[in-house]
Amino acid sequence: GINAEYGEGEVGHQQRVTCIRFRPDNRYQCVSASWDRTVYLWDIRMEPEKAAVRTIKGPKVCGDGLDIQGDTLLTASFSTEDALQMWDLGSGNLIQSIRYRENDNEAEYLYSCRYVDSNRVVAGGSGSRDAKIINSKTGVIEGVFYDTKPIHSVGYRDGKVAAGGVSCYIHVGDFNENQVI
């Protein structure tokens, strides 16, 4: 029901929940992430104590750092490396880490991520104080919004990419036209 509390008892997050996303193709399933380095896939049709149908250990999601496309989960973690990752929701296994940093001297520390399409993602954070559009198949960085402060949120829709954060600016670009608005 609407008032069910999932995650009580032995199963559930041990620290604050930072992001929740419903599966676009299944209104009864959602994922939640936390500072506790755990992502849960919940099936809300089940009794709360049995609703955690998948557990993924590793991602420390500190912001708006989850997105789902089909059976693939994208996570943005607050970590120095391997912060942008794709996971198989069916098995809970890591599919791939997407390199975010441009050189080994940078830390990644990501807060937010979104799928752009089946080959590209956009993510942003505080390590390099930017948001990047990355081709997940080739690893090529296809676009960057630079800022002087951390990026806390990114978005994508119909060719438009947006990013914003601590500097109070919203960066918007038309990905199809390759221009910043």
Side-chain angles (χ1 to χ4, degrees), residues 2 39 61 64-65 68 84 101 106 113 139 164:
I2 192 82
V39 175
V61 178
D64 194 28
I68 302 170
L84 190 58
R101 57 187 176 171
E106 290 180 341
C113 63

Side-chain angles (χ1 to χ4, degrees), residues 9-10 21 31 67 81 87 99 113 116 125 129 132 136 140 149-150 155 165-166 172:
E10 293 179 24
R21 289 279 179 274
V31 291
D67 202 13
E81 60 186 350
W87 302 84
R99 184 176 170 91
C113 63
V116 172
R129 297 176 311 279
K132 295 178 178 132
S136 61
V140 172
K149 296 184 179 175
V166 177
V172 180

Side-chain angles (χ1 to χ4, degrees), residues 33-158:
S34 169
W35 286 357
D36 64 8
R37 296 188 174 277
T38 306
V39 175
Y40 287 102
L41 172 63
W42 301 95
D43 189 326
I44 61 173
R45 294 170 291 194
M46 303 181 80
E47 293 298 318
E49 63 275 0
K50 297 178 181 175
V53 295
R54 183 80 55 243
T55 303
I56 296 172
K57 298 280 188 183
K60 184 177 183 179
V61 178
C62 291
D64 194 28
L66 295 175
D67 202 13
I68 302 170
Q69 188 177 71
D71 287 325
T72 306
L73 174 70
L74 181 67
T75 61
S77 295
F78 196 78
S79 64
T80 56
E81 60 186 350
D82 296 327
L84 190 58
Q85 296 179 315
M86 296 169 76
W87 302 84
D88 177 49
L89 281 173
S91 67
N93 292 330
L94 179 65
I95 297 170
Q96 77 176 94
S97 293
I98 303 167
R99 184 176 170 91
Y100 187 85
R101 57 187 176 171
E102 294 182 62
N103 63 62
D104 290 335
N105 297 332
E106 290 180 341
E108 297 182 351
Y109 300 121
L110 300 180
Y111 291 112
S112 185
C113 63
R114 289 288 176 275
Y115 281 103
V116 172
D117 56 34
S118 61
N119 295 323
R120 293 175 287 205
V121 299
V122 59
S126 64
S128 52
R129 297 176 311 279
D130 59 21
K132 295 178 178 132
I133 301 161
I134 304 170
N135 186 309
S136 61
K137 304 289 187 218
T138 65
V140 172
I141 296 170
E142 297 183 0
V144 182
F145 291 122
Y146 294 103
D147 204 320
T148 58
K149 296 184 179 175
I151 297 290
H152 279 235
S153 187
V154 297
Y156 175 82
R157 178 153 184 172
D158 300 328

